[in-house]
Amino acid sequence: RLIIVASPDHPLAGKPDIAPAQLDGLSFILREEGSGTRLVAHAFFDEHGIMPHTRMELGSNEAVKQSVASGLGVTLLSEMTVRAELAAGTLVRLDVHGLPLRRQWFIAHPTSRRLSPAAAAFRQFLFDAAASLNAG
């Protein structure tokens, strides 16, 4: 699930049911061109006629989170990626109408081969994580 987060002192922090149009012109810290998160963000912007100001493009989620926590802009990231920062209060989730966005992930492996114990454990971890997210 993808959400928009900001620093706790952002003007939209704590406001309920923010219309996507209110994001128009905000400074966004985005992942680099070609990233899946960036593609989903731009699809959301296009759908709602939003023209964000791309303040920075960064190649890691950690760099994006630190920039947003410093008040340099807002971002759209995976809820799992910002879970610790939300709990610590260094980032806040903006209550934007139409969010969270969902991305689909697929797991593939040859059925003709038996998974190694590590691969089987990782596959189960992914299934359990997906079930946990879908329940919450």
Side-chain angles (χ1 to χ4, degrees):
R1 297 187 311 189
L2 298 171
I3 61 173
I4 293 182
V5 295
S7 66
D9 60 347
H10 191 276
L12 294 177
K15 297 213 186 269
D17 202 26
I18 298 164
Q22 290 182 265
L23 304 175
D24 196 38
L26 286 184
S27 291
F28 271 81
I29 312 296
L30 296 172
R31 289 294 309 265
E32 73 283 1
E33 285 285 342
S35 78
T37 302
R38 173 100 176 225
L39 294 171
V40 171
H42 278 289
F44 179 77
F45 298 153
D46 290 346
E47 178 183 341
H48 295 283
I50 298 168
M51 296 296 293
H53 166 70
T54 303
R55 185 164 190 182
M56 290 181 172
E57 296 178 4
L58 299 169
S60 79
N61 287 335
E62 287 303 314
V64 170
K65 292 188 295 185
Q66 291 299 318
S67 298
V68 171
S70 297
L72 297 176
V74 301
T75 194
L76 182 119
L77 283 177
S78 162
E79 190 173 28
M80 293 258 323
T81 300
V82 295
R83 185 176 282 174
E85 291 80 8
L86 293 174
T90 57
L91 291 175
V92 295
R93 176 183 182 158
L94 297 185
D95 182 24
V96 178
H97 183 73
L99 294 179
L101 301 173
R102 293 190 177 266
R103 287 191 63 200
Q104 287 187 321
W105 290 81
F106 298 91
I107 301 170
H109 62 87
T111 57
S112 61
R113 295 192 57 194
R114 187 175 196 176
L115 291 177
S116 71
F122 182 64
R123 179 178 172 227
Q124 189 59 51
F125 169 79
L126 293 175
F127 287 148
D128 292 346
S132 171
L133 285 174
N134 289 330

